Amino acid sequence: MPDIVYPPVIAFAKTAFKVLDLKFAMVGTEHVPRTGGAVIALNHISYVDFVIGGFGAQPSKRLVRFMAKEVLFRNRYSGPLMRGMRHIPVDRAAGSASYREALTQLKAGEIVGVFPEATISRSFELKEFKSGTVRMAAAAGVPVIPMILWGTQRMLTKDHPKDFSRHRNVSITVGAPISVTRQDDATEATEHLRTTMAGMLDETIRAYPEQPAGAWWLPASYGGGAPTPEEAERLDQEELARRRKR
């Protein structure tokens, strides 16, 4: 099936990047395979991670089919775009359908983008990972490509107003492919993926050209003003309780 919607969306995004004069630091993008299926596992710190994460696969000329909340597909504006780019809707009440669709795409040689944390991290450090990422890769017989994004939280994230100021630094770090098989223990493989990405995140943060003490977008463990992982978990639980009430 030809991609009619994705290319113009990419062109629009690249134009927006130029207008904003985003300064990208991209490392390891050669690890994204030019052919064949793969699962890209990304950290999740911003509502624009889909856009920036997809950009990280552009040097390999690949399109990423992201697994995203089903509500985005029902929105009158984002819905047609999400469907047109053949992203995969995730309904948490019926996750098996999205899992099957992801496997179909992977076996067809597509790259599927997954956020193992499932939700945005308020601490900007890694939350616990769901095991679906490695299970999916093992079932499809494809590698997992770890990818770290940094700087996207400064644009649009939870609990903070959007800020698309110009001249921002954005980092994309891609790690070497990780092989997973059906014989591997999913829990151990998931922990290995998380440990790998935690190391990549640390390197990416330390290499970032801005490190202002107390900055809200910098993790507490790096001298920033972001919530600690424990505080972030409390905020997540409070948000979940409010949703249940509604």
Side-chain angles (χ1 to χ4, degrees):
M1 181 187 301
D3 277 286
I4 298 172
V5 176
Y6 222 141
V9 169
I10 291 173
F12 176 81
K14 288 181 176 179
T15 300
F17 296 161
K18 287 183 179 179
V19 171
L20 292 173
D21 190 29
L22 296 183
K23 302 181 186 304
F24 284 96
M26 301 174 69
V27 177
T29 55
E30 70 277 4
H31 291 307
V32 177
R34 291 184 174 271
T35 60
V39 176
I40 290 185
L42 308 94
N43 64 319
H44 203 5
I45 53 176
S46 167
Y47 292 110
V48 300
D49 288 340
F50 296 96
V51 181
I52 304 299
F55 188 62
Q58 280 294 290
S60 294
K61 297 181 171 26
R62 298 303 301 273
L63 302 177
V64 182
R65 317 298 177 178
F66 281 99
M67 300 187 75
K69 291 180 181 179
E70 189 269 340
V71 66
L72 294 173
F73 294 78
R74 289 188 278 111
N75 183 279
R76 62 185 296 186
Y77 301 109
S78 63
L81 292 175
M82 298 295 283
R83 291 189 293 272
M85 290 185 281
R86 302 197 339 245
H87 293 317
I88 303 167
V90 177
D91 183 349
R92 291 180 183 174
S96 58
S98 58
Y99 183 84
R100 288 194 301 270
E101 174 59 23
L103 285 182
T104 298
Q105 298 249 24
L106 290 168
K107 290 177 180 178
E110 298 282 358
I111 290 184
V112 173
V114 181
F115 297 98
E117 299 165 279
T119 60
I120 287 176
S121 169
R122 284 182 159 98
S123 71
F124 308 127
E125 298 190 61
L126 297 183
K127 297 162 64 75
E128 291 303 311
F129 279 18
K130 308 295 184 184
S131 64
T133 302
V134 298
R135 289 190 292 105
M136 186 188 310
V142 301
V144 178
I145 313 294
M147 180 182 288
I148 290 294
L149 308 178
W150 192 250
T152 58
Q153 76 275 30
R154 301 176 66 184
M155 302 177 195
L156 185 61
T157 192
K158 287 185 175 182
D159 307 328
H160 296 277
K162 62 183 177 182
D163 183 358
F164 289 96
S165 299
R166 301 183 70 233
H167 319 305
R168 283 275 164 78
N169 293 292
V170 177
S171 298
I172 302 174
T173 304
V174 185
I178 298 174
S179 297
V180 188
T181 69
R182 290 178 182 271
Q183 285 69 46
D184 292 329
D185 180 270
T187 301
E188 291 181 3
T190 298
E191 186 55 34
H192 173 64
L193 174 62
R194 187 179 183 280
T195 299
T196 299
M197 291 180 65
M200 292 169 57
L201 177 60
D202 177 66
E203 292 177 3
T204 304
I205 293 175
R206 294 184 187 281
Y208 194 70
E210 300 171 74
Q211 304 283 342
W216 67 263
W217 49 267
L218 194 63
S221 59
Y222 292 81
T228 64
E230 294 74 23
E231 291 168 340
E233 175 62 23
R234 177 180 57 78
L235 292 171
D236 288 346
Q237 292 303 317
E238 290 174 356
E239 179 185 30
L240 185 59
R242 288 194 298 270
R243 285 183 181 177
R244 286 171 175 163
K245 270 191 174 182
R246 291 199 298 268

